[in-house]
Amino acid sequence: EVQLMQSGAEVKKPGEFLRISCKVSEYTFTTRWIGWVRQTPGKGLEWMGIIFPPDSGTVYSPSFQGQVTISVDKSVTTAYLQRTRLKASDTAMYYCVTLRNDYGDHFFDNWGQGTLVSVSS
Amino acid sequence: DIQMTQSPSSVSASVGDRVTITCRASQVISSWVAWYQQKPGKAPKLLIYAASSLESGVPSRFIGSGSGRDFTLTISSLQPEDSATYYCQQANSFPLLTFGGGTKVEIK
């Protein structure tokens, strides 16, 4: 069973830096694409990007390219999502996901428990 | 960008009823459509991929179908535990993967 364990809720001020994490098993870390999905009441579910940990190859949604950075630390089999200069509009639930590529189809077959990020002055 | 428009936005039905949710794409797309179920306070869960393939462990009352622009998720016999919000997602334009706005299913 694939388990994705996310870091806890964050409360931030506008302009601050955010990094949230997603701890995964060694097997998942070496075989699966890991990504992030944002959920807000206003815009619903939005896919942000993915990373392949063995070579750190990344693909970003055009909507989030240049806005966030996805990275990994192989020593602790953990993926990260970071954002500089937070805005109130970054207030959302962020989910860590695994992406399955099935003959060209792409979908999210495992989800972490979510990390709630609140940004307010 | 490919937009996915779900309808209805909410539906209320009785246990045992057949419930159908529709997702319409803004253009003709391949059959790379997935469906997810999200219960309150929980992460979404994959139900269907490739428009009609049932994810392992998902009850067979969940049926996906469709092609072109129109895709449907049918719950053939609604159960109390099916109360949730359902989302579609298209993968035709990877890396731009987009979700529908969601359909809330309530039990009468």
Side-chain angles (χ1 to χ4, degrees), chain B:
Chain B
D1 297 2
I2 298 175
Q3 308 300 319
M4 300 293 280
T5 303
Q6 275 186 247
S7 61
S9 57
S10 65
V11 59
S12 181
S14 300
V15 172
D17 283 354
R18 184 181 187 89
V19 173
T20 298
I21 299 166
T22 297
C23 221
R24 167 161 275 204
S26 56
Q27 64 188 65
V28 173
I29 62 175
S30 62
S31 294
W32 293 335
V33 171
W35 290 92
Y36 303 86
Q37 175 194 65
Q38 186 177 32
K39 296 184 178 181
K42 299 293 186 181
K45 172 189 171 184
L46 176 68
L47 299 176
I48 300 282
Y49 61 95
S52 61
S53 296
L54 194 67
E55 173 70 345
S56 176
V58 174
S60 59
R61 64 180 179 274
F62 292 96
I63 302 165
S65 63
S67 62
R69 292 181 61 191
D70 296 311
F71 299 85
T72 60
L73 174 69
T74 299
I75 307 173
S76 61
S77 178
L78 190 66
Q79 300 301 304
E81 60 267 31
D82 300 336
S83 178
T85 301
Y86 294 83
Y87 296 92
C88 61
Q89 173 242 313
Q90 67 80 24
N92 187 78
S93 56
F94 184 80
L96 189 53
L97 308 174
T98 52
F99 292 88
T103 296
K104 187 173 184 179
V105 175
E106 296 178 316
I107 309 295
K108 281 183 184 174

Side-chain angles (χ1 to χ4, degrees), chain A residues 37 39 44-47 50 59-63 95 99-100 102-114, chain B residues 1 31-34 36 38 41-46 49-51 55 87 89-91 94-100:
Chain A
V37 171
Q39 185 171 32
L45 292 164
E46 300 172 280
W47 173 66
I50 50 172
V59 180
Y60 290 96
S61 164
S63 302
Y95 291 102
L99 179 81
R100 191 191 307 172
D102 191 74
Y103 298 101
D105 196 3
H106 296 85
F107 48 89
F108 308 107
D109 58 346
N110 295 284
W111 296 65
Q113 83 275 23
Chain B
D1 297 2
S31 294
W32 293 335
V33 171
Y36 303 86
Q38 186 177 32
K42 299 293 186 181
K45 172 189 171 184
L46 176 68
Y49 61 95
E55 173 70 345
Y87 296 92
Q89 173 242 313
Q90 67 80 24
F94 184 80
L96 189 53
L97 308 174
T98 52
F99 292 88

Side-chain angles (χ1 to χ4, degrees), chain A residues 27-34 51-57 72 74:
Chain A
Y27 177 77
T28 299
F29 203 73
T30 56
T31 60
R32 306 298 306 279
W33 286 84
I34 298 171
I51 189 166
F52 190 59
D55 61 14
S56 295
V72 295
K74 295 178 184 179

Side-chain angles (χ1 to χ4, degrees), chain A residues 1-71:
Chain A
E1 181 187 350
V2 174
Q3 289 195 329
L4 308 170
M5 293 300 300
Q6 297 185 228
S7 51
E10 301 267 6
V11 178
K12 296 288 188 180
K13 290 182 165 46
E16 289 188 337
F17 170 83
L18 172 74
R19 189 176 82 160
I20 58 178
S21 66
C22 175
K23 168 74 174 173
V24 306
S25 68
E26 180 74 29
Y27 177 77
T28 299
F29 203 73
T30 56
T31 60
R32 306 298 306 279
W33 286 84
I34 298 171
W36 295 91
V37 171
R38 184 173 81 172
Q39 185 171 32
T40 61
K43 291 193 171 184
L45 292 164
E46 300 172 280
W47 173 66
M48 304 176 76
I50 50 172
I51 189 166
F52 190 59
D55 61 14
S56 295
T58 54
V59 180
Y60 290 96
S61 164
S63 302
F64 289 93
Q65 179 81 48
Q67 307 299 312
V68 297
T69 301
I70 297 173
S71 61

